[in-house]
Amino acid sequence: MSRRKKIYEGKAKILYEGPEPGTLVQYFKDDATAYNAEKKAVIDGKGALNNRLSEFFMQGLTAIGVPNHFIRRLNMREQLIRQVEIIPLEVIVRNYAAGSICKRLGLEEGMHLPRPIIEFCYKDDALGDPLVSEEHIIAFGWASQQDLDDMVALALRVNDFLSGVMLAVGIRLVDFKIEIGRIWDGDFHRLIVADEISPDSCRLWDLETGRKLDKDVFRRDLGDLADAYTEVARRLGVLPKNGLGESPKPRLVN
Ligand code: TMP
């Protein structure tokens, strides 16, 4: 029997009740899925890598004043986070054309977009997370106009931060997805970045070679996904010298 109460299980993560009210434990699984879970695999080490990488990005956001759910890492696969009321939208920011925007608009993959483009998808697996407009969002009450303005501002700040961090290690941030949640204080709420930021939810291309270092490696069978994520972690200095998943050898303690 599990020692903790499971709150929610998604495709790549599990949320458990946290040690204090208003907190949750976020567990990163090794499961990889694509095309709305039509393609599935277990990738050894992916959960540990994403736990570390999401910690790294969220801490960086905290350092520049972008509010987010991260509190602290608990172990290889788990982190303590603030509980939020998730807004049922995926907020996508695109700097270069790739993926669904190419199909939708007939753009060439890799085209530099004239400015960062923000898209919203309604989070509903049964519907395949359809693209929605601000009109839909307001009309169906998923978020208010103020929430929308705040979401766009948060997404652009995350984009500036992530683009810079990646560029510094020779990686192009093509696009990414974030999720945003509400934190309530009486009748008022504010928005914070939630869920995760990892190569599962970004497109990352090597600046020189164009090598893909994100989940497209799995989606398109381009090689070993854990190798690609390890490369990202290594360049960012996130990976311990002995790697993840290897326990240090026993040592005599005097
Ligand atoms: P797309 O090109 O498939 O619309 O994806 C754009 C970016 O958003 C890409 O980095 C992958 C990410 N994304 C997710 O992480 N989860 C999702 O459900 C979707 C639709 C996109």
Side-chain angles (χ1 to χ4, degrees):
M1 209 183 89
S2 172
R3 65 204 145 89
R4 299 177 291 203
K5 190 167 161 207
K6 194 190 278 188
I7 304 285
Y8 172 81
E9 177 154 7
K11 291 182 283 246
K13 297 185 296 292
I14 305 174
L15 295 177
Y16 295 100
E17 201 170 59
E20 287 145 38
T23 66
L24 295 174
V25 173
Q26 178 162 254
Y27 175 98
F28 287 78
K29 301 197 272 187
D30 279 341
D31 300 21
T33 62
Y35 310 116
N36 207 6
E38 272 171 39
K39 181 171 178 172
K40 289 183 199 170
V42 175
I43 314 276
D44 252 1
K46 182 176 88 80
L49 282 158
N50 281 354
N51 187 26
R52 284 274 185 164
L53 283 163
S54 201
E55 171 191 15
F56 175 81
F57 295 128
M58 295 290 184
Q59 281 182 330
L61 288 175
T62 300
I64 60 161
V66 177
N68 65 80
H69 72 168
F70 183 81
I71 302 174
R72 66 173 183 278
R73 186 163 56 82
L74 298 172
N75 55 51
M76 292 251 299
R77 285 179 179 280
E78 294 177 328
Q79 47 183 248
L80 188 66
I81 58 168
R82 293 191 68 174
Q83 185 165 25
V84 300
E85 179 187 288
I86 281 282
I87 295 176
L89 297 168
E90 309 204 317
V91 184
I92 293 172
V93 183
R94 301 180 186 273
N95 298 305
Y96 294 82
S100 66
I101 199 173
C102 292
K103 278 199 199 137
R104 217 181 312 123
L105 302 180
L107 303 179
E108 193 182 331
E109 185 177 76
M111 177 195 155
H112 190 198
L113 298 169
R115 52 174 246 188
I117 293 178
I118 299 184
E119 294 174 349
F120 298 98
C121 291
Y122 180 53
K123 270 168 65 74
D124 186 322
D125 283 343
L127 298 175
D129 297 337
L131 185 72
V132 291
S133 72
E134 298 199 1
E135 283 285 305
H136 294 118
I137 295 169
I138 306 273
F140 294 117
W142 298 322
S144 65
Q145 185 61 57
Q146 181 65 57
D147 286 340
L148 269 173
D149 294 346
D150 293 349
M151 282 195 283
V152 168
L154 276 176
L156 289 176
R157 290 194 72 193
V158 174
N159 187 42
D160 285 346
F161 167 75
L162 276 185
S163 295
V165 167
M166 289 302 179
L167 207 54
V169 296
I171 295 174
R172 169 166 296 155
L173 178 66
V174 173
D175 59 30
F176 66 93
K177 181 264 308 187
I178 52 171
E179 294 185 26
I180 291 174
R182 297 188 183 95
I183 296 270
W184 286 93
D185 184 3
D187 285 344
F188 297 96
H189 70 265
R190 61 194 184 90
L191 302 189
I192 71 173
V193 178
D195 190 50
E196 73 178 293
I197 300 179
S198 76
D200 267 8
S201 50
C202 300
R203 281 199 175 88
L204 305 170
W205 296 352
D206 181 85
L207 262 184
E208 279 181 11
T209 65
R211 179 186 164 200
K212 292 183 179 16
L213 297 167
D214 56 65
K215 208 164 89 174
D216 274 349
V217 171
F218 171 69
R219 292 188 189 97
R220 301 196 195 173
D221 293 320
L222 298 176
D224 187 306
L225 191 71
D227 276 358
Y229 287 20
T230 301
E231 176 65 19
V232 175
R234 184 172 292 124
R235 287 197 202 182
L236 293 169
V238 171
L239 208 58
K241 285 266 182 311
N242 65 344
L244 288 169
E246 294 169 37
S247 314
K249 292 208 171 71
R251 210 160 37 87
L252 262 184
V253 179
N254 293 321

